Amino acid sequence: MAEWNAYYQNEDEDEEQEEGEQSGGDYKVTGRDSLVFLVDASKEMFIKGEDGEPSNFDMTMQVVRSVYTSKIISSHRDLVALVFYGTEQSKNPRNSFKYVYVYHDLDEPGAKRVQEVDALRGEKGARLAAETMGSGETSLGDALWCCANLYSDIKLRLSHKRLMIFTCRDEPHRGDSAKDRQARTKASDLKETGVIIDLMHLMKPGGFDVAPFFRDIVSQPEDESELGLHLEPCDKLEDLQKRVRAKEQKKRAMARLNLCLGEGINVAVGIYATAVTARKPAAIRLYRETNEPVRSKTRTFHMQTGSLLLPSEIKKAQTYGKKQIVMERDEVDSIKKFQDPGLYLIGFKPMEKLKTHHHIRPAVFLYPEEGEVKGSACLFSALLMKCSERNVFALCRCVSRRNYPPRFVALVPQREEVDEGKVQFTPPGFNVIYLPYADDLRTLDPPQCPSASQIQVDKMKEIVSKLRFKYRSEAFENPVIQQHYRNLEALALDMMAPEDTEDLIMPKVDQINHRLGPLAEEFKDLVYPAGYNPESKSVAKRKTAIVGGVAEKKPKAEVPEDELRAHVQNGTLGKLTVPVLKEACKQFGVRTTGTKKQELIDALTTRLAA
Amino acid sequence: MAGTKSALVLCMDVGFSMSNSAPGEEPPFELAKKVIQKFVQRQVFAENKDELALVLFGTDSTKNPLDRDGQYQNITVHRHLMIPDFELLEEIENQVHPESQQADWMDALVVCMDLLQTETKGKKFDRLNVALLTDLSTQANQDHLDVIIENLKQAGITLQFFLPFPAEDDEEGGGDSDRRGPGHPGTGKGLSREQKESLDLVKHVMLSLDEEDGLDQVYTFRDAIEQLCMFKRIERRPMAWPCQLTIGSCLSIRIVGYKAVTEERLKKMWVTVDAQSNQKEDVKRETVYCLDDDNETEVKKDDTIQGFRYGSDIVPFSKVDQDQMKYKHDGKCFAVLGFTKQNLVRRHQFMGSQVVKMFAPKDDEHAGVALSALIRALDELQMVAIVRYAYDRRSNPQVGAAFPCVKQDYECLMYVQLPFMEDLRQFTFPSLENNKKLSPSDTQLSAVDSLIDSMMLVQKDDDDADQKDIFKVHHIPNPAFQRHFQCLHHRAVNPGTPLPPMEPWLKAALERPDVISERCQAPLEEIKRKFPLIEVEKKKKLKTSAQIFGKDAEEPDAKKAKGDEEEDYNLADIAEGSVTSVGSVDPARDFRTLIKLKSLPFGEVCQQLTHRIEQLLSNKNTHYYMKSITCIQAFREQSVKFLVVEEKKEEAAVPSAEDTGDVDDLLDMM
């Protein structure tokens, strides 16, 4: 059991990062990311759609809220601001701008802010907005200027600055060319300071025309394709959410490496983590008196002298067959070093040689880094096209960082895919699939079982067809993490009880039963003999096991001292079970930090051999 | 296989004929010793429960339980049956030498059999084996041959022979012994009469034990050494996970899961020991908590509580409350949520670190049929089951896919974890194909085409549809483990010597196969011509001391020191509060200020700073390291200035201030 459990993190146990590999994409973070929502608050934004569709304003607030909460979960150190323009009331740091209402200035989002955005949603929200801000004249220039001030008031170093304009008016100043000009100037000032301006234009009757005004306001897209500027306005919440999400996350390479095809042919590539297991964050320690966070310092010192040990004063050791083997710290590192970091092409294989079950780690994504080696994108693109066309993958040896042993990876080509709205949903590049070594495959002994007959198979096919659905990877929320954050939210906001979470990975039993109708019984009649109950057997077994287990556990497992010594002498301690070893440790007053069998054995051996 | 254990007797001939060899060839004794060393080494690191004994024959002395009435002479039980350790390795290294007697290998075999019978009493072994290493130069006593064979069969003892020469001549090769080259020394010499007779005897024994493949267990020393080079794969016993696959509440199928693929790790961790005593007990690690104030006031662990971050808020949340409010579920489950097309589950979205194979329980053929129906239905429809999977009550539930897997001799479901919404990062990347500047031309594309042709690792035979994969990653042992054990073994047996280079076979196993390297030469040259690649000049990523101290750090430069003087300096800093000692908040600034003010002697200020640096370095944290680097920078800069002043005073040569090597070490450490 212990072995299986090792792969499932127990709650609250700080997980040791596996060689830092899983630590996600944030390498060399040099500052904070920031995002300003600049939202049109004019009357047009509050017009409800046909059939009770939410207003553009309502939709925007939902998106803002979801960004707030996702930032809290995934990147709480990012700064976010919410600013309205075209308001009647004004509220900004020095109150120097009219018709601009800074609802939230640039700061880390917290529980209170989420609540405040919530208040602006729906019917009630529209009323609240009308009361507090109202709709008035529009000066986008002033609004942009005000946002520029928000950025400059921040004392922290900002690495990524983005501003998103949400509006359904393509001519905000109704042809007032002076105001248009001022807005353009302010926009270019902002862009000069490194702010990227995006337009999230929303549906309006008669269509939204980007050309006359906003084309000059927004930043030029990264590439020259048409993808950067979405010409179609959003009319669905889902679309808007997707567009915002795609822009809102700054992509950071986990590593920049060379993909070496041969001597002197190095393509610069960045490695990106596109799926990283989200875990509940680690707890932080607070000082009881003040609730302020405390810092922890770990020190290594000498037991006898009490003096701090410098790195040069410690070594590393392992014990095998009763012998301690000692190495210098840098030797331990050097053992792991095979080559310098990089990807080295071994050759190509047809796609069918990539086995589904050869999976040991989540994949990462490869994209060229034209900024490191010029010409990389072209060669990369050619490789991508040809691999995809010929349905082959590239096999590479991969050393992801310094002093990491090599692993072999399959570079699987992935062509770009865009949806009807020209929004990219699959980026172009190679997926990097980590391949197992011989050690990673286990030998199993599959039981010999009779196969099902075609009638039985066909019945199951009916069942399968009844329960078909279209799988989407983003459809399932993690109930553990969601519950955790709902709990925190409730505590932070002094709510009576946390909001209910729906467990999306719970089977909808009633619906399934209903859909299957008599099929389940029919299938069972075909495969199970009368009186066979798949549940009863194991349940009965388990019950006796529990009863027996309790009864058996009571007598303490003790081994006489001389027997233990004999085991130590012969190196056969491994024969004893973990509980027995633990008991023996207690018996001899051996203190062990570990609970692994080997650690117990090591501890006992050192104690008894002395 | 794990779960089983074996008892093995290594029985080695150390008699005088073993030292005979043709000029330039290694004597059989040395080769046999290497075989034994490699084998024992593997066993030691595998740390399984296999037990091992060592019997030597041809020894000058006699030490065995059957030694009676002049029988079984010159045979020594060197080590009784027990788990092998480094002591045994050292003994083999230092105590096993060629000796000057000869002994009957058949007698030695009887001693081994006796040893196995008496020493395995009361213990359970799944396999009993004797490995005999000899050159077969002595005449064997055949009197009790039938009894011996009968005893071997009854006790279930298997035999292996390791000889300096192959048991069977190459049939086609005839007498052309040169063809074998240096691979099999000894064959060229021709065998002696005793050896020929003994070899026939060996064949007789082996074929009586196993009519068909008996001779497969006769090896040459050379072959054995090559095969033993590789350290054993880490093998673990598959753990059964019995559960029920459920579809709604009316249909369930009993299943048993086994982890089939997972990233294996070394069983042992490095422990920290004191460099002088090599004792881990001498090293203590301690974690203290302190407030984020000027004095870094320490607080007791009991005075701290647990909290979590919710965006900008920090929410105190005790463990008790957390346990009460956390997500709870019903435990173990494998429940179908629905079925979907296989192509909607993308390979690159597999999460987690394992693949679990689900079978029906061994004794339940009804479950077998039901599961088979599901597996085949999914396979025929090209679909997968999307399931909720929970290992047990304490573990977090997952969503995953169960793929059908239909093989020649078995069927199963393969479970892989899939992502949650929170795990995904939807990055968009600029288009590559739609970008005219980046688009490769047709000639460029055809260059890539011929590169792929030349580098295909799977070759189709023209004759039949058979494909041959010449680079199977899943047949390569993890090189990190191989290297790890190689180095450990070296250090254990040769303490005090530097670590050995990587073994050549391991290095070669990680390289592009030679055939491919040759074939892709020309296409690679073509790629080089067709695709210009220009490295963009960038500052180095790794920080060196030169970058930290500025370009001219190596030479203390008087002019530079002077020039720097007015920088970083303003009176406001100094006026701001009176600095009386080097504090912990900004030690570098305090240090500079104190030097400037000359209120304390230079030496004392330096001492205060070094003290602060030591304090900073005692914390394992990049923030502290960076702070200490700033201090060292300040220290250096002020020292250089000081030297310049002193030099002027005394006109004496003073050695350069600091050895920058230490700083490099410091950076390496980070």
Side-chain angles (χ1 to χ4, degrees), chain A residues 1 7 11 261 297 319 323 355 358 367 374 390 416 439 461 476 482 503 513 524 532 535, chain B residues 90 239 249-250 252 259 268 327 347 364 372 380 396 421-422 430-431 453 478 512 534 619:
Chain A
M1 289 300 256
Y7 289 85
E11 316 272 289
L261 306 188
K297 293 195 287 191
T319 308
K323 184 166 185 109
K355 302 285 182 239
H358 284 180
Y367 190 82
K374 219 163 163 272
R390 302 183 52 168
E416 180 180 23
D439 304 78
K461 276 188 184 169
F476 300 100
Q482 290 298 331
D503 188 346
N513 289 346
K524 282 199 278 189
Y532 175 88
E535 268 127 278
Chain B
E90 273 163 34
M239 283 289 247
S249 60
C250 304
S252 56
K259 199 179 283 187
K268 289 195 181 175
Y327 175 83
R347 171 68 206 249
D364 189 343
S372 165
E380 285 171 28
N396 294 336
M421 185 266 280
E422 292 88 343
S431 178
D453 282 332
N478 189 335
R512 200 179 270 173
I534 303 146
N619 295 300

Side-chain angles (χ1 to χ4, degrees), chain A residues 486-503:
Chain A
R486 294 293 151 85
N487 291 344
L488 290 181
E489 191 183 51
L491 288 169
L493 299 174
D494 288 328
M495 285 154 60
M496 290 297 285
E499 219 181 298
D500 278 335
T501 44
E502 192 192 347
D503 188 346

Side-chain angles (χ1 to χ4, degrees), chain B residues 21 53 96 123 141 143 247 281 292 302 304 307 323 375 432 509 546 555 557 595 615 638 655-656 665:
Chain B
S21 67
V96 176
K123 299 182 192 169
N141 179 359
D143 294 351
I247 304 175
E281 287 76 19
D292 198 8
D302 292 347
T304 64
D323 281 342
I375 294 165
L432 289 172
E555 26 169 340
D557 188 348
I595 299 277
Q615 275 185 335
Q638 295 301 322
S656 150
D665 290 347

Side-chain angles (χ1 to χ4, degrees), chain B residues 549 579-595 600-617 624 627-639 658:
Chain B
F549 295 117
V579 181
T580 52
S581 67
V582 179
S584 68
V585 178
D586 191 347
R589 189 195 60 195
D590 292 353
F591 175 72
R592 285 199 188 94
T593 312
L594 285 170
I595 299 277
L600 286 170
F602 184 79
E604 197 184 324
V605 186
C606 290
Q607 214 161 28
Q608 286 185 5
L609 182 73
T610 12
H611 178 64
R612 286 289 172 211
I613 295 174
E614 276 168 8
Q615 275 185 335
L616 291 168
L617 284 177
Y624 289 105
K627 213 168 177 180
S628 61
I629 285 179
T630 331
C631 291
I632 297 171
Q633 271 174 295
F635 194 6
R636 183 175 193 288
E637 151 208 311
Q638 295 301 322
S639 304
E658 278 252 324

Side-chain angles (χ1 to χ4, degrees), chain B residues 489-622:
Chain B
H489 175 239
H490 176 91
R491 179 54 46 90
V493 181
N494 313 289
T497 59
L499 297 177
M502 208 172 308
E503 297 200 57
W505 71 267
L506 182 59
K507 234 176 175 164
L510 303 175
E511 288 302 325
R512 200 179 270 173
D514 288 339
V515 241
I516 302 288
S517 299
E518 258 165 58
R519 266 202 323 236
C520 69
Q521 275 310 322
L524 274 177
E525 284 305 314
E526 187 63 13
I527 294 271
K528 216 173 186 170
R529 272 194 296 277
K530 292 277 159 60
F531 291 92
L533 292 165
I534 303 146
E535 199 163 333
V536 178
E537 276 299 319
K538 277 251 172 88
K539 45 185 189 283
K540 271 194 199 153
K541 277 171 198 155
L542 273 178
K543 278 193 179 174
T544 62
S545 56
Q547 280 169 321
I548 289 174
F549 295 117
K551 244 189 178 167
D552 307 320
E554 256 54 63
E555 26 169 340
D557 188 348
K559 268 181 267 167
K560 195 165 171 284
K562 251 187 203 166
D564 283 347
E565 202 141 355
E566 254 56 58
E567 273 178 16
D568 303 335
Y569 253 90
N570 65 51
L571 267 174
D573 270 353
I574 300 169
E576 190 186 27
S578 54
V579 181
T580 52
S581 67
V582 179
S584 68
V585 178
D586 191 347
R589 189 195 60 195
D590 292 353
F591 175 72
R592 285 199 188 94
T593 312
L594 285 170
I595 299 277
K596 183 87 180 169
L597 290 176
K598 294 199 175 85
S599 53
L600 286 170
F602 184 79
E604 197 184 324
V605 186
C606 290
Q607 214 161 28
Q608 286 185 5
L609 182 73
T610 12
H611 178 64
R612 286 289 172 211
I613 295 174
E614 276 168 8
Q615 275 185 335
L616 291 168
L617 284 177
S618 65
N619 295 300
K620 257 199 161 117
N621 182 317
T622 322

Side-chain angles (χ1 to χ4, degrees), chain A residues 66-341:
Chain A
S66 81
V67 170
Y68 272 28
T69 48
S70 83
K71 287 270 180 208
I72 284 172
I73 294 180
S74 62
S75 36
H76 66 86
R77 290 170 62 77
D78 290 3
L79 307 178
V80 188
L82 177 58
V83 181
F84 295 100
Y85 72 98
T87 54
E88 193 185 357
Q89 306 296 322
S90 314
K91 178 178 169 241
N92 43 67
R94 288 171 275 277
N95 277 325
S96 41
F97 304 105
K98 270 185 137 183
Y99 318 123
V100 180
Y101 197 100
V102 177
Y103 197 71
H104 290 149
D105 58 4
L106 267 179
D107 204 347
E108 297 170 359
K112 194 153 168 281
R113 288 193 164 195
V114 175
Q115 236 179 6
E116 284 161 359
V117 173
D118 266 340
L120 292 176
R121 284 167 58 188
E123 201 81 37
K124 265 193 195 161
R127 271 204 301 279
L128 179 70
E131 279 163 28
T132 50
M133 303 180 292
S135 298
E137 277 180 57
T138 302
S139 170
L140 196 59
D142 278 350
L144 290 171
W145 195 344
C146 176
C147 292
N149 286 347
L150 289 183
Y151 281 118
S152 56
D153 286 347
I154 290 293
K155 293 284 175 286
L156 298 160
R157 211 171 131 191
L158 299 175
S159 58
H160 181 70
K161 295 184 262 189
R162 201 173 265 280
L163 185 144
M164 290 183 185
I165 304 174
F166 292 76
T167 182
C168 58
R169 295 184 297 159
D170 47 9
E171 284 181 84
H173 307 122
R174 297 183 191 167
D176 181 337
S177 57
K179 276 189 170 175
D180 278 0
R181 210 177 321 118
Q182 190 217 4
R184 285 196 189 102
T185 322
K186 286 297 155 205
S188 72
D189 288 352
L190 265 175
K191 284 182 273 187
E192 240 165 66
T193 60
V195 179
I196 297 165
I197 304 178
D198 288 317
L199 177 64
M200 295 293 155
H201 48 317
L202 306 159
M203 211 44 166
K204 85 170 202 31
F208 194 109
D209 190 357
V210 180
F213 176 68
F214 277 103
R215 183 169 284 262
D216 300 331
I217 297 290
V218 299
S219 301
Q220 283 306 308
E222 293 167 78
D223 57 345
E224 280 154 48
S225 71
E226 289 297 278
L227 275 167
L229 198 60
H230 304 299
L231 296 172
E232 295 297 314
C234 275
D235 56 348
K236 276 200 227 87
L237 178 66
E238 240 175 78
D239 285 354
L240 185 64
Q241 223 142 17
K242 245 195 245 167
R243 276 186 201 185
V244 172
R245 276 216 116 187
K247 296 267 177 188
E248 162 258 306
Q249 287 172 324
K250 165 82 181 139
K251 49 178 191 278
R252 280 206 178 88
M254 267 163 56
R256 292 195 173 83
L257 299 172
N258 277 337
L259 165 60
C260 175
L261 306 188
E263 176 94 47
I265 311 173
N266 291 313
V267 179
V269 291
I271 294 187
Y272 299 84
T274 48
V276 180
T277 309
R279 297 189 191 283
K280 239 165 47 182
I284 42 179
R285 299 226 70 88
L286 310 174
Y287 184 44
R288 191 187 287 281
E289 305 290 311
T290 54
N291 279 355
E292 63 179 310
V294 295
R295 253 203 314 228
S296 69
K297 293 195 287 191
T298 305
R299 296 187 290 218
T300 311
F301 59 87
H302 196 276
M303 245 336 222
Q304 260 95 60
T305 64
S307 62
L308 289 176
L309 287 169
L310 290 173
S312 59
E313 288 167 329
I314 54 176
K315 288 185 181 175
K316 295 285 176 179
Q318 288 198 350
T319 308
Y320 272 97
K322 291 193 263 181
K323 184 166 185 109
Q324 189 191 39
I325 305 166
V326 182
M327 293 206 194
E328 303 283 346
R329 284 156 41 100
D330 56 340
E331 284 178 326
V332 172
D333 282 338
S334 75
I335 289 175
K336 287 191 240 152
K337 179 171 173 153
F338 283 70
Q339 289 102 7
D340 286 327

Side-chain angles (χ1 to χ4, degrees), chain B residues 263-319:
Chain B
E263 193 171 342
E264 217 55 76
R265 299 185 181 278
L266 289 168
K267 286 190 219 161
K268 289 195 181 175
M269 306 280 275
W270 290 99
V271 292
T272 305
V273 297
D274 178 57
Q276 244 98 59
S277 64
N278 284 352
Q279 292 293 308
K280 70 167 178 234
E281 287 76 19
D282 286 344
V283 178
K284 183 146 164 75
R285 276 171 74 86
E286 180 198 64
T287 302
V288 292
Y289 298 95
C290 59
L291 301 178
D292 198 8
D293 60 9
D294 222 28
N295 298 321
E296 303 203 315
T297 319
E298 276 188 25
V299 293
K300 286 203 206 93
K301 192 175 180 208
D302 292 347
D303 288 334
T304 64
I305 51 170
Q306 183 185 260
F308 286 94
R309 205 173 268 286
Y310 185 78
S312 54
D313 308 309
I314 291 171
V315 184
F317 194 11
S318 73
K319 242 189 164 119

